[in-house]
Amino acid sequence: NTLYNVGNSIVTCNGPDSIVEYNHVHHGGLISADVSLLYTSMPSADGLEFRYNWVHDSLSPNHSLGIRGDDKTRGLRVHHNVLWNVAEDGIVTKGGRNRVYNNTCLANGASDIMFNSGPEKDKWWQEHVKAYQNQNEDSLLVNNCARAIVSTRRRVQPPLPGDHSNNYTESNPLLVDPARFDFRPEAGSPLIDAGRAIDGVTAPCEG
């Protein structure tokens, strides 16, 4: 699907065990103040996958995001997406038991990935869900091409929570032709053979 020119969020999915894939989603948040183009939240997101999507141009003037697992998200998977030109944060994952891997994030605003740490806020309508004292302590963040990965919006960043490694955070991943939507790594790219095997998803190179 191609979905674009929307005033608020473009795709909201609460799961569980749903799949949102192969969408080209862009130019959302045109008349709203706090928006993510692909959105979910709460334990109902358990098993939901946002995968193989192109997400760009989230343009709200305040809190404009690309893909968001909002308050008390549990068990969200975000993988193999490409995000660019998002005004604030490309990918945001709050909560716990989340898996964020093999995404490509380019030229976003405040951060490419916000992998939230610290205690969850107990807003009155969410008090029935037990809060994490340290968000994403049981989550996975690997194999992402994302120059800016943060855990809070504070100037001084605490360490990233959970299991995190093999993320490329340098400025030149050497992609074939992003201007024409070819996001494959070209020959000699530092992304090639730099990832980590994920059970059920990837396998080590052989030979």
Side-chain angles (χ1 to χ4, degrees):
N1 303 292
T2 299
L3 306 102
Y4 62 99
N5 288 354
V6 175
N8 204 315
S9 295
I10 294 180
V11 177
T12 296
C13 185
N14 292 324
D17 300 320
S18 298
I19 295 173
V20 178
E21 66 179 357
Y22 301 119
N23 300 288
H24 184 185
V25 177
H26 60 95
H27 289 87
L30 300 181
I31 58 171
S32 58
D34 186 353
V35 65
S36 178
L37 301 192
L38 301 184
Y39 181 88
T40 192
S41 67
M42 300 293 287
S44 60
D46 198 3
L48 167 63
E49 294 187 54
F50 288 132
R51 68 189 194 189
Y52 302 105
N53 299 288
W54 288 347
V55 180
H56 62 96
D57 291 281
S58 182
L59 300 174
S60 171
N62 181 43
H63 294 312
S64 194
L65 313 172
I67 297 175
R68 185 181 199 178
D70 205 354
D71 294 336
K72 294 192 173 179
T73 291
R74 303 288 185 266
L76 174 64
R77 292 189 176 197
V78 181
H79 62 93
H80 294 94
N81 302 284
V82 184
L83 299 98
W84 69 97
N85 200 34
V86 173
E88 191 165 26
D89 304 305
I91 298 172
V92 175
T93 47
K94 299 182 180 181
R97 294 189 291 106
N98 301 307
R99 293 161 67 85
V100 179
Y101 55 89
N102 292 76
N103 298 285
T104 301
C105 304
L106 306 165
N108 297 303
S111 76
D112 292 309
I113 299 175
M114 178 176 284
F115 200 59
N116 286 69
S117 64
E120 289 183 308
K121 294 181 179 179
D122 255 335
K123 298 173 183 177
W124 65 266
W125 66 91
Q126 302 165 346
E127 290 177 348
H128 63 287
V129 179
K130 184 178 179 181
Y132 271 79
Q133 290 305 304
N134 187 23
Q135 295 181 80
N136 288 312
E137 62 186 356
D138 51 5
S139 296
L140 178 74
L141 178 72
V142 300
N143 298 351
N144 297 286
C145 174
R147 186 173 184 183
I149 301 177
V150 300
S151 61
T152 71
R153 287 196 172 91
R154 301 172 191 165
R155 180 171 296 179
V156 178
Q157 287 290 314
L160 289 169
D163 182 357
H164 56 89
S165 72
N166 297 75
N167 295 295
Y168 179 79
T169 57
E170 301 301 320
S171 60
N172 192 12
L174 296 179
L175 306 181
V176 173
D177 194 351
R180 292 181 171 84
F181 303 126
D182 191 340
F183 302 103
R184 295 172 299 164
E186 65 181 28
S189 168
L191 304 180
I192 296 173
D193 294 335
R196 168 179 148 190
I198 301 172
D199 290 343
V201 178
T202 60
C205 295
E206 297 180 359

